[in-house]
Each structure stands twice: as structure tokens, then as C-alpha cells.
Amino acid sequence: MLNQARLNKLSLAISLSLLASSLNLSAAQSEESEIEEVVAVGTRLQGSAAAVVEERKNQAFVADILGAEQLARTGDSDAASALRRVTGLTLVDGKFIYVRGLGERYSSARLNGAYIPSPDLTRNVVPLDIFPASIIQSMAVQKAYSPDMPAAFGGGNIDIRTKSIPAEFTAGFAVGLSKDTSASSGFTYKGNDGDIPQILNNAIVQYKGNFDVGNIIAKDNLVDNSDASRSDQAIAINNQLLKSLPRNFALKDESLDPNWDIKGHLGNSFDESFLGGTFGFLFSGEYDKSWDSAKRRTAVIAQDIGNDCATTLNSAQDVSTSCFNTVKDSVTTTENERYNATLNLGYRLNTHSISFMSLYLRDNEDETEVATSQSPAGSSVFTIVNDNRANRTHEFNLEQRTLTVNQLLGQHTFLDYWGIGADWQYTRSKASTDIPTNVEFKFRDNYDNSGNYSNSQITGDDNRALFSYINMQDRVNSYGGNLTLPLSFNAVEVELKTGFDIADRARIYNTSSFAVNNGTGLALTVADNPLDAGNYLTDEFIDGERILLDFNEPSAPDADDYIAGQKISAAYGSFDVIYDDLLRLSGGVRYEEFKQTSIGTSSLIFTADDLNIYYSPEKIAAGSINEDDFFSALSLTYLGGENYQVRLGYGETVVRPDLREVVPVSYFDPLTDIRTFGRVGLQSSPIKNYDLRYEYYGNTGDSFSVAAFYKDIDKPIETVLRIGDEDYSASFVNGKTAQVYGIETEWLKDLTYLTEGLFTSGNITLSDSEADIDPALASNLTNPTKRMTGHSKYVVNLQLNYDSVDGQHSSSLVYNVFGERILAAGIAGRDDAYEQPFHSLDLIYTWYPDFNSNVKFKVTNLLDEEQQVTQSDIVVRSKEVGMTFDVSYSYTF
């Protein structure tokens, strides 16, 4: 239930929305006398949504369509944030879409019908925040499986359709400015961007990954001399390796700049006289830069925790109690820089067209996390050590994601050959992620008896600083084609369709990690200002103490790198029969062959024995999946004239393990910030899908639909927690069975009887799920029967919209919330970890001063909510979000 503060904010937001509508009306009335000619063309939404609604209506299988104008209305900046407006879809971590309450593994994304790679280090699925809204023409979310879709289909398939060449000249630009209330100040640093120093690469080979003093002496055949002993010489060599690493990580606490962006496009079409065809082009580009600063809390609760503990913590948030093993309070500052460019070329001749698209997307995210410490007496501290001491960490992470796509598309209709239609695509794409800066410093803060900070030290042991370099490349070649034959027999219209779909994928993941160790065995003071603590590795400090570098690779047979390959070959046949505009029967069968191999490997491969360890036939077989099967689908639609239709659908699909999940390699999941381990032997999950949907289409543009769905999943892949005394880890298991079922409704309703131009739209999904897992596979799972990981019992999207009759003003109040969902299943008596509902309320107002320009104002997160994860009813994770104020101006020539 909403608390009183949230209700007050909600009331204020609604009042603001109604005030905006009133101002729109007043402005329209005051300008009425100045307008000599008014052409009534209907509201902006009704005009733009007509084609989208018509496409959804004509789909043989259940689908939702989101058009470019709908994206513009809500002011969403990328595909991920826009898709949460679609019925039954929720957004996770700003990147991943959950369809009908199912996790991101149960959805897949394609670009203009083609497979594309993922720049995400940990998942096959593409993080949809990388696609800016400015390049999107529409997005189709198909929730009922059809044979022309990939068989890896759980909750749904998302097809992102990019903008194509224009019919006439177009050009325009837009600029925007925004500010987040939580990002007034943050921790920044100079930045360190570069690959592994060459001296380190050479040393890894020379010393076979062992920088130990004794090994350096042996490999270099060092002998005592008058200047230094063998040990001193080896330490000096080790110190030179350490000095080659970037070491300037001093922090500044300073004000953050406002966010800003700029974008533009230029396109045109020309008739050519040689063949009588039309050539066209469209070029677009965008750049934006943003800052975010958020307070976070991460905690690990004690194993035996009672209700009294939960009551105390939720009322006072007293972290000094024995309810926690560890608590970490931190401030995370993120600088995000994005830019993209798209070039479209096309040629059309009669009923034939060919187009080429080249897309470049770049996303740089530079994040600084500082775990702050206060007075230890009942305070917020990182790891609770004892009186007058607390642990501190400084973490720096620069992640550079890139996606390039080159795509050739063709569409043909052969009127002289029974109207046969053909379409095809060939797509080469590459996703890469580079992390040239991934550094963690560990300190111990000391306090005096009054609780005042004294200094920061490094303790006398290993791993006082960790430097990692990470690189991933994911390449996909995708090609396919379809043939369509339309037939007509009196009252029966038939469409026969066949096609093929092939994708080749290869991924390489490499990481190299170096650890800084304090070989003195003593605690050394490194700073009397905590912001300078990350800058202590000076030449003088390294030379004056026994500070040594270690290549932090696991020993064989353990691995931290992997390579993977995947090939999908598919062919299908389908039919679509319409009888007397009354009944529609659609269906078909898809044959799909799936081959995947993932192999854990290491940088420490120097001999044939090393190769035999990592590339043994047994390991290759353990990380391989070879499957082929037939996947059928059937849909029956009753066409109730122009106003309504009823759909009934059935489909057989599958969900497969990700490339990384089937190799025993550990990584930090960016979604949960939990160290996660792959599991050899994970199996695919066959799914049977059932859908029933009623759709109503009114004469005035109103629409309404209600649907029921049921999914029967065999061997579902579930995430389970492994909770230690100070931290979490996670892994995966195959459950026995799982079911997902629910209902969803969607509407668009004109409210002109209240005020001209007022209308509402929205959707609600209510569902439930149950997964049955063998506790023996999950090391004493607390709840072997539970809801599925990532599933929400409800998803609500509500919009109150206004379009002025003169077309000069529009406003929307947009609300979104999802029910609590399991982030990971608990073990050893600890409860499951639940992500709590996040109530998102946004207000958007747009002014159209003329036909060429518009000014948009947007306020995001009006309720000023924060993200929370609870365990045993205790908040173990929280993140500040803040309100964001945006203003933008766009002009189209």
C-alpha cells in the first residue's frame, strides 16, 4: 500500500497533470481568435496510432506494437525504457525486459528480423538500453509463438524496426538538457584508459604468470652482486611491473554537470530515369552525456534472524546489531557517454526494393563506487570489524560497449507469378565490450575514541588492490529468407509461407587480473584523507616498502576466460487461412538445429599439457549442447466483423542456457552485483504455451483487449543464492517443472465527454508462477517450491493523456509499477531475496509552436522512489534513484 508521503506526491502529480491540461485549454482558447484557419485532423495519438493498431489487429498471432509516436509521447530515450509501457512487460536494471513476469532469458530481441550479438558480458540477450529511441520506427512484441520466430521463445520476442528511407526530403535536429536531483555532486577521478601495459604482457609469458620473487630469481638466473642481493633484484623487477599499471586514482567530491544530448537527421528520395526507380537515403546521429550519483546499501544478514530483528531494522535501520554479518554503504557516481550513427540507403523499382543499413552504437560508462565509513558506534560501516575500525573500498570501472550492424534487406512481389512475395536479409554484426579500468582498493579506516576519522591503512596481507582488464567480442552472421504464396478460393483466402533462418555466432571473453600485495605483514598508513587513499601507490611508496604484484589467474583446471560458438539452422512451413472473413486458422511447424559449445580457458596456457587440460574431449562435451527438434504452433481467430475478434493459440518452444552459464567460470553479474558461477550440465527448458485473447476495436479509435495465458515449463533454469558470512554468490540449477499463468488487459479510451482531447490508456497484468526444484541440486534450498526467479505477480501501466484540439499542446501522466520478484533463491535457511515494487510516475508536456518544432518538458520519478531488495523482510539492498527534470527542443525542416 502506498504510504502517506507517496500519496501526497501522487496527488501533487495528478494536480500538475490536470493543471497542464487546463493551461493547454486556456492557451488554445486564448489563441483561437488569432487563428484564421483551423483544419481538424484528429488528435496526434489517434492519427499516429491508427497504423499501429491496424497492424496488431491483422496479426495472425498475439502481438503488441509500439510506434514511434508512442515513444515520443512518453519521452523514453531508448528501447528498454519504452518497452515497459507494453502490456505485461517490466524493465530491470534499465536494460532488460521481462515479459509476462518471466526473466530476461525468456525474451529475445531481433533487429529488423535478424539475430544480433550482445555486448553484455554475462548474457546472450541484448541489453535494450543500447538502442536509442531516435532510430526506432516501431517495435513488435510477439507473445504467442509462430513458426517464423526463433524457437528460443519464452515470454515473447521483440523485433526492433529501425527507420527507413523517407518518401521526401526531411531534416531536423533536437537538443536536450536534464538534471537528476540525486546527482548534484559525486566522486570523480582523472580516469585511466588503456590496455594492459606491454611490459606486463611480456612478463606473463616470461614468468609463466608467476611473479613470485623466487620464480623471478629462477627464470632470470639472478646472482648476488655488490649492489643488491638476488632477492632485492627480483623485488625491483616486480616493482617495475607494478609501476607500469595506472595508479592515479585520487578522488574529488565535486558538483556534477547537467545531462545534455543533441541529435539530427537528414534524408531524401530521388527518382531516376534510367530504370524508372527511386533512390533514397537517411542519415542520423546522436550524442548524449549524463551523470548519475546514487547512495546504495548492500548487506548480508545473519543466518538465524528473527522477527524482532526485522522490526528493529525496518524502524531504525540500526546496522550495528548482530542481525547483519556485513553492511556496505556506498556512493556510486556514473558518467555515461553515448553516441550513435545510422546510414540507410534504399532503391525501389515497382514492386521490388533493396535497402542497406549500417548502424554504429557506442556506450561508455565510467563508474566510481566509494564505500563510505562513519563513526563505528552504531553507524553505517562497510564490514563491521570492531570498535574504532572499519573497512573501506574504492572501486573504479570503465565499461565501453560497442555494437556495429551492417544489414542488407530485400522485398519483392512477383505480380506475374501468382503474386508470390519474397523477402530476405543478410546481417553481419559485432558487439564488443572493453573494460580497460576495473580497479578495487581495500583499506582500513581508523577512528579515535570520539569516533573521528584518523587515517587509512592497508593491512599486512594480499589483495590490497586488484587491477583487471576485460575484453569480450561477440560476432553474429545472420541470414534468412521467406517465400509467400497468396491463394484465393471463393470465400477462402489462403497464404502459404516457407522460409529459412541461419545464425552463426562466436564469442571470446578474456580477463587478466593483477593483485597488489603488502609483503611486509604490517599495517601501513597510506592516507590521512580518505579521498586520497586511491593514490597511495607512488614510486616512493612502492620502493620504500615490500609492495609486490601478482598475476591473479586461477590455476588449472580452474578458468576465468571462455570461448564459445553457436550455430542455429532452421526452416519452417506455415499457413494462414481466412474463411468468409469469419474464421482465421494459422499455424505451422519449425525445424531447428541448435549447436553450442562453451569452453572455460585461461591466459596461463603455455604447453601442450595446458591445452589438454582446458580443451580435453571431456570438457568440450560437458560444455556442449546439440539439439534438434520440431516446434509447432497453431492459432484460431474468430473475426467478429470490424469491432472484435477472439484468438486462441498454442505453441511449443524452448529456452536454452546462456553461453556462459554452462562453463564453471565465475563473474560478477551486473544485474545483481553477485559473484555468479556457471554450472556444467545445465539443460534446455522445453515450454508449452497457451493463449486466449479477446480484442475490441471501437469506431472512435477506442480499443480494449483481455487475454489469458498459461505456460508449462520443463526443467526451468533457476538462479540460486549461496550465502557466506560476508558476501553472496550464485549459481544455476534446472528445476523439475514450472508453470506461469495469468490474465492481462489493455485499453485506449477517449474521454472527450469530460474534456475535449482527454483520453486514457494503459494495461494491467495479473499472474502467478510456481517452480519445483530438487533441493539436492541446490545445496539445501530454503524454498524448493517457489515463484520463478524474476516473476512479478502484477504489472501496471497507466496513462492519462491530453491532446489539444488545435494540435499545439499535449501532456501525459504516466505510471508504472511491478510486483515484488525473486532476485535469487535463498539457501541454508535464509529466505529468498525479493526486489520490491518500484512506483514510477512521470509527467510529460509537449508544446508544438508550429508544424516544424516542439518543446518537451518531462519530470521522471515524481514519487522520488528508491529501489530496494529485501530478505526476511529486511532491506539488504537499496539504491537512490532521484527525480529527473528534462527539457528538449526539436525542429524538423
Side-chain angles (χ1 to χ4, degrees), residues 411-426:
Q411 292 183 320
H412 313 273
T413 301
F414 300 93
L415 298 178
D416 295 334
Y417 298 92
W418 310 289
I420 291 177
D423 63 87
W424 52 270
Q425 63 84 17
Y426 177 74

Side-chain angles (χ1 to χ4, degrees), residues 700-703 747-753 758-761:
T700 61
D702 292 350
S703 64
W747 68 88
L748 172 65
K749 176 62 178 174
D750 192 274
L751 300 177
T752 53
Y753 61 89
L758 192 68
F759 58 95
T760 179
S761 59

Side-chain angles (χ1 to χ4, degrees), residues 125-147:
V125 64
V126 180
L128 295 175
D129 65 319
I130 200 171
F131 294 101
S134 59
I135 71 168
I136 299 172
Q137 181 62 41
S138 66
M139 291 185 287
V141 182
Q142 187 163 321
K143 299 177 183 177
Y145 172 68
S146 60

Side-chain angles (χ1 to χ4, degrees), residues 39-277:
V39 179
V41 293
T43 69
R44 291 181 180 272
L45 180 71
Q46 290 171 336
S48 63
V52 170
V53 171
E54 190 66 21
E55 180 179 357
R56 185 181 73 175
K57 182 179 179 180
N58 291 332
Q59 292 285 327
F61 294 82
V62 174
D64 289 308
I65 313 296
L66 195 64
E69 181 64 24
Q70 292 165 291
L71 271 67
R73 168 170 286 280
T74 54
D76 295 313
S77 60
D78 55 63
S81 56
L83 282 167
R84 66 189 171 121
R85 316 296 182 188
V86 176
T87 309
L89 271 62
T90 55
L91 177 64
V92 180
D93 197 36
K95 300 178 181 180
F96 303 107
I97 289 296
Y98 285 17
V99 181
R100 287 176 167 173
L102 293 168
E104 77 279 355
R105 72 168 67 253
Y106 291 92
S107 65
S108 58
R110 310 236 286 182
L111 185 67
N112 297 321
Y115 291 94
I116 51 175
S118 171
D120 188 87
L121 291 172
T122 61
R123 289 167 171 80
N124 289 352
V125 64
V126 180
L128 295 175
D129 65 319
I130 200 171
F131 294 101
S134 59
I135 71 168
I136 299 172
Q137 181 62 41
S138 66
M139 291 185 287
V141 182
Q142 187 163 321
K143 299 177 183 177
Y145 172 68
S146 60
D148 58 345
M149 290 282 113
F153 185 105
N157 179 274
I158 300 164
D159 189 19
I160 301 172
R161 300 137 166 201
T162 57
K163 293 181 177 178
S164 57
I165 59 173
E168 57 186 15
F169 174 78
T170 180
F173 70 92
V175 293
L177 193 68
S178 68
K179 187 65 176 177
D180 190 329
T181 58
S182 67
S184 57
S185 64
F187 294 108
T188 63
Y189 70 110
K190 184 178 180 180
N192 297 275
D193 184 359
D195 296 327
I196 300 176
Q198 189 59 46
I199 185 175
L200 277 178
N201 276 325
N202 296 339
I204 292 171
V205 176
Q206 182 178 352
Y207 303 114
K208 294 191 175 180
N210 184 359
F211 297 166
D212 183 74
V213 170
N215 188 59
I216 293 176
I217 292 173
K219 293 293 184 184
D220 288 355
N221 296 316
L222 298 178
V223 296
D224 291 334
N225 57 47
S226 58
D227 296 325
S229 67
R230 293 191 303 165
S231 177
D232 289 339
Q233 294 176 61
I235 290 174
I237 292 172
N238 184 288
N239 287 169
Q240 286 302 115
L241 299 179
L242 173 55
K243 291 175 185 178
S244 70
L245 290 169
R247 291 169 285 146
N248 183 13
F249 291 95
L251 290 168
K252 290 184 179 180
D253 187 359
E254 60 183 3
S255 299
L256 301 178
D257 295 333
N259 308 328
W260 64 277
D261 68 274
I262 183 170
K263 53 191 171 186
H265 72 274
L266 174 67
N268 203 355
S269 291
F270 307 93
D271 293 332
E272 55 86 14
S273 58
F274 183 71
L275 294 175

